[in-house]
Short mmCIF file of all heavy atoms in Angstrom, two decimals:
data_model
loop_
_atom_site.label_atom_id
_atom_site.label_comp_id
_atom_site.label_asym_id
_atom_site.label_seq_id
_atom_site.Cartn_x
_atom_site.Cartn_y
_atom_site.Cartn_z
N GLN E 1 75.51 192.75 -25.21
CA GLN E 1 76.81 192.40 -24.60
C GLN E 1 76.71 192.27 -23.10
O GLN E 1 77.58 192.71 -22.35
CB GLN E 1 77.86 193.45 -24.99
CG GLN E 1 78.11 193.60 -26.47
CD GLN E 1 78.63 192.34 -27.11
OE1 GLN E 1 79.62 191.79 -26.66
NE2 GLN E 1 77.94 191.83 -28.12
N LYS E 2 75.63 191.65 -22.63
CA LYS E 2 75.37 191.57 -21.20
C LYS E 2 76.20 190.48 -20.56
O LYS E 2 76.34 189.37 -21.09
CB LYS E 2 73.89 191.31 -20.94
CG LYS E 2 73.00 192.46 -21.30
CD LYS E 2 71.55 192.17 -21.09
CE LYS E 2 70.67 193.35 -21.45
NZ LYS E 2 69.21 193.01 -21.40
N THR E 3 76.80 190.80 -19.37
CA THR E 3 77.55 189.87 -18.59
C THR E 3 77.02 189.97 -17.17
O THR E 3 76.95 191.03 -16.59
CB THR E 3 79.05 190.26 -18.59
OG1 THR E 3 79.55 190.27 -19.95
CG2 THR E 3 79.85 189.28 -17.74
N ARG E 4 76.67 188.82 -16.61
CA ARG E 4 76.18 188.76 -15.22
C ARG E 4 76.81 187.53 -14.51
O ARG E 4 76.99 186.47 -15.11
CB ARG E 4 74.66 188.59 -15.21
CG ARG E 4 73.89 189.72 -15.87
CD ARG E 4 73.86 191.01 -15.02
NE ARG E 4 72.96 191.96 -15.60
CZ ARG E 4 73.32 192.86 -16.53
NH1 ARG E 4 74.57 192.85 -17.01
NH2 ARG E 4 72.43 193.71 -17.04
N TYR E 5 77.08 187.69 -13.20
CA TYR E 5 77.53 186.59 -12.44
C TYR E 5 77.15 186.82 -10.96
O TYR E 5 76.95 187.97 -10.54
CB TYR E 5 79.02 186.29 -12.58
CG TYR E 5 79.96 187.37 -12.05
CD1 TYR E 5 80.37 187.30 -10.71
CD2 TYR E 5 80.40 188.37 -12.83
CE1 TYR E 5 81.25 188.23 -10.19
CE2 TYR E 5 81.27 189.30 -12.33
CZ TYR E 5 81.67 189.27 -11.05
OH TYR E 5 82.52 190.22 -10.55
N SER E 6 77.09 185.72 -10.20
CA SER E 6 76.74 185.85 -8.81
C SER E 6 77.56 184.83 -7.98
O SER E 6 77.65 183.66 -8.38
CB SER E 6 75.27 185.57 -8.60
OG SER E 6 74.98 185.45 -7.21
N ASP E 7 78.13 185.29 -6.88
CA ASP E 7 78.81 184.38 -5.92
C ASP E 7 77.82 183.70 -4.97
O ASP E 7 78.20 182.75 -4.31
CB ASP E 7 79.86 185.17 -5.11
CG ASP E 7 80.98 185.71 -5.94
OD1 ASP E 7 81.54 184.93 -6.73
OD2 ASP E 7 81.31 186.86 -5.80
N ASP E 8 76.61 184.24 -4.92
CA ASP E 8 75.57 183.69 -4.07
C ASP E 8 76.05 183.35 -2.65
O ASP E 8 75.98 182.22 -2.16
CB ASP E 8 74.93 182.44 -4.66
CG ASP E 8 73.61 182.07 -3.95
OD1 ASP E 8 72.97 182.94 -3.37
OD2 ASP E 8 73.26 180.88 -4.00
N ARG E 9 76.58 184.37 -1.98
CA ARG E 9 77.04 184.34 -0.60
C ARG E 9 78.36 183.58 -0.40
O ARG E 9 78.75 183.38 0.76
CB ARG E 9 75.92 183.71 0.29
CG ARG E 9 74.70 184.62 0.38
CD ARG E 9 73.47 183.94 1.04
NE ARG E 9 72.92 182.90 0.21
CZ ARG E 9 72.94 181.61 0.51
NH1 ARG E 9 73.51 181.20 1.64
NH2 ARG E 9 72.40 180.72 -0.31
N GLU E 10 78.97 183.11 -1.45
CA GLU E 10 80.36 182.65 -1.27
C GLU E 10 81.25 183.89 -1.20
O GLU E 10 80.82 184.99 -1.56
CB GLU E 10 80.79 181.81 -2.50
CG GLU E 10 80.09 180.48 -2.67
CD GLU E 10 80.62 179.41 -1.71
OE1 GLU E 10 81.08 179.74 -0.65
OE2 GLU E 10 80.50 178.21 -2.09
N PRO E 11 82.49 183.75 -0.64
CA PRO E 11 83.40 184.92 -0.57
C PRO E 11 83.55 185.57 -1.96
O PRO E 11 83.63 184.87 -2.98
CB PRO E 11 84.68 184.35 -0.07
CG PRO E 11 84.27 183.12 0.71
CD PRO E 11 83.07 182.56 -0.01
N GLN E 12 83.56 186.87 -1.97
CA GLN E 12 83.59 187.62 -3.22
C GLN E 12 84.75 187.16 -4.13
O GLN E 12 85.89 187.04 -3.67
CB GLN E 12 83.71 189.14 -2.95
CG GLN E 12 83.66 189.99 -4.20
CD GLN E 12 83.70 191.49 -3.85
OE1 GLN E 12 83.77 191.86 -2.68
NE2 GLN E 12 83.61 192.30 -4.89
N GLY E 13 84.44 186.91 -5.38
CA GLY E 13 85.43 186.55 -6.37
C GLY E 13 85.85 185.08 -6.37
O GLY E 13 86.69 184.70 -7.20
N THR E 14 85.20 184.25 -5.52
CA THR E 14 85.66 182.83 -5.43
C THR E 14 84.78 181.89 -6.24
O THR E 14 85.09 180.71 -6.33
CB THR E 14 85.65 182.34 -3.97
OG1 THR E 14 84.32 182.40 -3.46
CG2 THR E 14 86.55 183.22 -3.11
N ALA E 15 83.65 182.40 -6.77
CA ALA E 15 82.66 181.47 -7.32
C ALA E 15 82.15 181.94 -8.70
O ALA E 15 82.46 181.35 -9.73
CB ALA E 15 81.52 181.27 -6.35
N GLY E 16 81.34 182.99 -8.72
CA GLY E 16 80.77 183.45 -9.96
C GLY E 16 81.79 183.90 -10.97
O GLY E 16 81.70 183.58 -12.19
N LEU E 17 82.82 184.64 -10.51
CA LEU E 17 83.85 185.11 -11.44
C LEU E 17 84.65 183.98 -12.07
O LEU E 17 84.89 183.96 -13.26
CB LEU E 17 84.75 186.09 -10.76
CG LEU E 17 85.70 186.89 -11.66
CD1 LEU E 17 84.97 187.63 -12.75
CD2 LEU E 17 86.55 187.87 -10.82
N PRO E 18 85.09 182.97 -11.30
CA PRO E 18 85.79 181.81 -11.91
C PRO E 18 84.92 181.12 -12.94
O PRO E 18 85.41 180.67 -13.98
CB PRO E 18 86.09 180.91 -10.72
CG PRO E 18 86.20 181.81 -9.58
CD PRO E 18 85.18 182.90 -9.81
N VAL E 19 83.62 181.00 -12.68
CA VAL E 19 82.71 180.38 -13.66
C VAL E 19 82.61 181.24 -14.92
O VAL E 19 82.66 180.71 -16.03
CB VAL E 19 81.30 180.15 -13.06
CG1 VAL E 19 80.31 179.67 -14.08
CG2 VAL E 19 81.36 179.14 -11.91
N LEU E 20 82.50 182.51 -14.75
CA LEU E 20 82.51 183.46 -15.88
C LEU E 20 83.75 183.32 -16.71
O LEU E 20 83.72 183.35 -17.97
CB LEU E 20 82.31 184.89 -15.39
CG LEU E 20 82.28 185.95 -16.49
CD1 LEU E 20 81.06 185.81 -17.39
CD2 LEU E 20 82.31 187.34 -15.80
N GLU E 21 84.91 183.18 -16.05
CA GLU E 21 86.17 183.07 -16.79
C GLU E 21 86.24 181.83 -17.60
O GLU E 21 86.88 181.80 -18.68
CB GLU E 21 87.34 183.11 -15.78
CG GLU E 21 87.62 184.51 -15.24
CD GLU E 21 87.94 185.48 -16.35
OE1 GLU E 21 88.89 185.19 -17.11
OE2 GLU E 21 87.24 186.54 -16.46
N VAL E 22 85.53 180.74 -17.20
CA VAL E 22 85.50 179.54 -18.02
C VAL E 22 84.81 179.85 -19.34
O VAL E 22 85.28 179.42 -20.42
CB VAL E 22 84.80 178.37 -17.28
CG1 VAL E 22 84.55 177.21 -18.22
CG2 VAL E 22 85.60 177.94 -16.09
N LEU E 23 83.71 180.57 -19.30
CA LEU E 23 83.03 180.99 -20.53
C LEU E 23 83.88 181.91 -21.39
O LEU E 23 84.02 181.72 -22.59
CB LEU E 23 81.70 181.68 -20.21
CG LEU E 23 80.62 180.81 -19.57
CD1 LEU E 23 79.43 181.69 -19.19
CD2 LEU E 23 80.18 179.71 -20.52
N ARG E 24 84.51 182.88 -20.75
CA ARG E 24 85.34 183.85 -21.50
C ARG E 24 86.52 183.18 -22.18
O ARG E 24 86.84 183.43 -23.34
CB ARG E 24 85.86 184.92 -20.54
CG ARG E 24 84.76 185.99 -20.18
CD ARG E 24 85.34 186.98 -19.21
NE ARG E 24 84.46 188.15 -19.03
CZ ARG E 24 84.54 188.99 -18.07
NH1 ARG E 24 85.49 188.85 -17.11
NH2 ARG E 24 83.73 190.04 -17.96
N LYS E 25 87.24 182.31 -21.43
CA LYS E 25 88.44 181.69 -22.00
C LYS E 25 88.14 180.76 -23.16
O LYS E 25 89.00 180.50 -24.01
CB LYS E 25 89.20 180.95 -20.88
CG LYS E 25 89.88 181.88 -19.90
CD LYS E 25 90.55 181.16 -18.75
CE LYS E 25 91.21 182.11 -17.78
NZ LYS E 25 91.82 181.41 -16.62
N ASN E 26 86.90 180.28 -23.18
CA ASN E 26 86.49 179.42 -24.27
C ASN E 26 85.70 180.14 -25.36
O ASN E 26 85.22 179.56 -26.28
CB ASN E 26 85.67 178.22 -23.73
CG ASN E 26 86.58 177.20 -23.04
OD1 ASN E 26 87.22 176.43 -23.68
ND2 ASN E 26 86.60 177.31 -21.71
N GLY E 27 85.63 181.48 -25.18
CA GLY E 27 85.00 182.32 -26.22
C GLY E 27 83.50 182.13 -26.36
O GLY E 27 82.95 182.43 -27.38
N CYS E 28 82.84 181.63 -25.31
CA CYS E 28 81.40 181.33 -25.44
C CYS E 28 80.57 182.54 -25.13
O CYS E 28 80.76 183.24 -24.12
CB CYS E 28 81.05 180.20 -24.45
SG CYS E 28 81.68 178.59 -24.96
N THR E 29 79.56 182.74 -25.92
CA THR E 29 78.52 183.74 -25.62
C THR E 29 77.15 183.09 -25.84
O THR E 29 77.08 181.93 -26.30
CB THR E 29 78.68 184.98 -26.47
OG1 THR E 29 77.82 186.00 -25.99
CG2 THR E 29 78.43 184.68 -27.96
N ASP E 30 76.08 183.81 -25.46
CA ASP E 30 74.74 183.21 -25.38
C ASP E 30 74.87 181.90 -24.60
O ASP E 30 74.36 180.85 -25.00
CB ASP E 30 74.20 182.95 -26.80
CG ASP E 30 73.55 184.23 -27.34
OD1 ASP E 30 73.61 185.30 -26.70
OD2 ASP E 30 72.97 184.16 -28.46
N ALA E 31 75.54 182.00 -23.44
CA ALA E 31 75.86 180.81 -22.66
C ALA E 31 75.69 181.09 -21.17
O ALA E 31 75.97 182.19 -20.71
CB ALA E 31 77.28 180.37 -22.95
N LEU E 32 75.22 180.08 -20.42
CA LEU E 32 75.02 180.17 -18.99
C LEU E 32 75.56 178.92 -18.34
O LEU E 32 75.39 177.82 -18.86
CB LEU E 32 73.54 180.27 -18.70
CG LEU E 32 73.05 179.94 -17.30
CD1 LEU E 32 73.45 180.94 -16.24
CD2 LEU E 32 71.51 179.73 -17.27
N ILE E 33 76.25 179.13 -17.20
CA ILE E 33 76.65 178.02 -16.35
C ILE E 33 76.18 178.29 -14.96
O ILE E 33 76.44 179.38 -14.41
CB ILE E 33 78.18 177.79 -16.36
CG1 ILE E 33 78.68 177.34 -17.76
CG2 ILE E 33 78.57 176.68 -15.36
CD1 ILE E 33 80.19 177.12 -17.84
N THR E 34 75.51 177.34 -14.36
CA THR E 34 75.18 177.38 -12.94
C THR E 34 75.95 176.33 -12.19
O THR E 34 76.22 175.26 -12.76
CB THR E 34 73.66 177.18 -12.69
OG1 THR E 34 73.31 175.86 -13.08
CG2 THR E 34 72.83 178.19 -13.47
N VAL E 35 76.31 176.63 -10.99
CA VAL E 35 77.01 175.60 -10.12
C VAL E 35 76.29 175.64 -8.74
O VAL E 35 76.37 176.65 -8.05
CB VAL E 35 78.50 175.86 -9.95
CG1 VAL E 35 79.10 174.75 -9.14
CG2 VAL E 35 79.19 175.97 -11.30
N THR E 36 75.69 174.52 -8.41
CA THR E 36 74.99 174.36 -7.13
C THR E 36 75.93 173.64 -6.17
O THR E 36 76.49 172.60 -6.51
CB THR E 36 73.69 173.55 -7.35
OG1 THR E 36 72.89 174.22 -8.27
CG2 THR E 36 72.97 173.40 -6.02
N ARG E 37 76.05 174.20 -4.97
CA ARG E 37 76.98 173.58 -3.98
C ARG E 37 76.25 173.06 -2.80
O ARG E 37 75.47 173.80 -2.12
CB ARG E 37 78.05 174.58 -3.55
CG ARG E 37 79.06 173.98 -2.56
CD ARG E 37 79.97 175.01 -1.94
NE ARG E 37 80.94 174.44 -0.97
CZ ARG E 37 81.64 175.12 -0.14
NH1 ARG E 37 81.58 176.45 -0.11
NH2 ARG E 37 82.48 174.51 0.70
N TYR E 38 76.54 171.76 -2.45
CA TYR E 38 76.12 171.25 -1.16
C TYR E 38 77.35 171.21 -0.26
O TYR E 38 78.32 170.48 -0.57
CB TYR E 38 75.53 169.84 -1.37
CG TYR E 38 74.10 169.88 -1.85
CD1 TYR E 38 73.83 169.86 -3.22
CD2 TYR E 38 73.04 169.87 -0.97
CE1 TYR E 38 72.54 169.89 -3.67
CE2 TYR E 38 71.72 169.89 -1.41
CZ TYR E 38 71.48 169.88 -2.77
OH TYR E 38 70.17 169.93 -3.21
N PHE E 39 77.33 171.94 0.82
CA PHE E 39 78.47 172.07 1.70
C PHE E 39 78.74 170.76 2.42
O PHE E 39 77.82 170.14 2.94
CB PHE E 39 78.18 173.19 2.68
CG PHE E 39 79.35 173.45 3.66
CD1 PHE E 39 80.61 173.71 3.18
CD2 PHE E 39 79.17 173.39 5.03
CE1 PHE E 39 81.66 173.96 4.03
CE2 PHE E 39 80.21 173.64 5.87
CZ PHE E 39 81.46 173.93 5.40
N GLY E 40 80.00 170.34 2.42
CA GLY E 40 80.36 169.07 3.01
C GLY E 40 80.94 169.13 4.40
O GLY E 40 81.39 168.14 4.94
N GLY E 41 80.95 170.35 5.01
CA GLY E 41 81.42 170.50 6.35
C GLY E 41 82.86 170.90 6.53
O GLY E 41 83.34 171.15 7.64
#
C-alpha cells in the first residue's frame, strides 16, 4: 500500500499532491504519473 509523491522544488502541496489526487479520485493503483515542467517565465 505504498504511496509516494514529490513536488520537486515546487511550492509544497502544489504539484505532487494534485497529481496523486488524480490517481486516487480515479481509483488507480499500481500506477505512476510524472509531470515535467519547463518554466515559461
Side-chain angles (χ1 to χ4, degrees):
Q1 300 297 305
K2 291 177 182 175
T3 302
R4 300 283 188 274
Y5 67 90
S6 170
D7 293 313
D8 193 26
R9 294 171 289 114
E10 293 282 29
Q12 185 175 1
T14 64
L17 190 57
V19 173
L20 179 64
E21 284 302 303
V22 171
L23 292 175
R24 282 178 169 164
K25 289 176 181 177
N26 286 281
C28 289
T29 189
D30 278 3
L32 160 71
I33 295 178
T34 64
V35 184
T36 302
R37 182 189 180 193
Y38 281 90
F39 182 55

